[in-house]
Amino acid sequence: MQGRFPYNSTATLHSGGNGQRPRKEQFASRAFSYVVDGEGADRDVHFLVGHSFDRPLASRSAGTLTLTDSDEALIFVADITEDLQRAQYVSDFLRMLTAGLIGGISPGFRVAPPEAVDKA
């Protein structure tokens, strides 16, 4: 399975309503470079169902997740093994994806430590 998380594209997190303003976010090009190919590249990265660490699909440390960073997007390739596909949550996820019920991806992240942020 492969996909991309486009940079410089506005995503709506919450549409607002009931007196609330819409919440939107946008990530700059190479926003995740610290972990993809920078000083933090030795950190593990997980591909999860619903940001839930108890429902992993792939990970960099397991050798089943590859990340490539460009100015346009963060690109991922996840190898969801046959053994893992037998897990109920993975089977459910893949069926929902095939049915077109999963409309996007969402990166889970933590704010980079101060030493990782370019001060220039």
Side-chain angles (χ1 to χ4, degrees):
M1 156 182 288
Q2 62 184 4
R4 61 193 311 271
F5 182 78
Y7 291 133
N8 303 306
S9 177
T10 303
T12 301
L13 303 176
H14 185 277
S15 61
N18 295 329
Q20 296 178 345
R21 295 179 58 189
R23 288 188 341 203
K24 299 179 180 185
E25 69 181 8
Q26 183 178 88
F27 291 91
S29 294
R30 301 190 185 268
F32 302 104
S33 65
Y34 179 81
V35 171
V36 174
D37 55 17
E39 292 177 38
D42 60 340
R43 295 181 182 189
D44 198 7
V45 176
H46 296 86
F47 185 50
L48 308 170
V49 175
H51 294 274
S52 181
F53 279 92
D54 65 343
R55 296 189 300 164
L57 296 170
S59 77
R60 196 156 58 176
S61 69
T64 55
L65 180 64
T66 303
L67 302 172
T68 305
D69 205 14
S70 73
D71 289 337
E72 294 79 34
L74 174 65
I75 299 157
F76 68 88
V77 177
D79 176 19
I80 302 175
T81 65
E82 285 186 36
D83 282 344
L84 192 56
Q85 290 177 36
R86 291 187 194 105
Q88 189 63 52
Y89 74 92
V90 178
S91 176
D92 291 347
F93 168 79
L94 292 172
R95 286 180 179 157
M96 288 188 292
L97 183 66
T98 300
L101 298 174
I102 296 176
I105 60 169
S106 175
F109 63 93
R110 292 185 176 95
V111 175
E115 63 271 14
V117 178
D118 185 10
K119 304 281 193 244

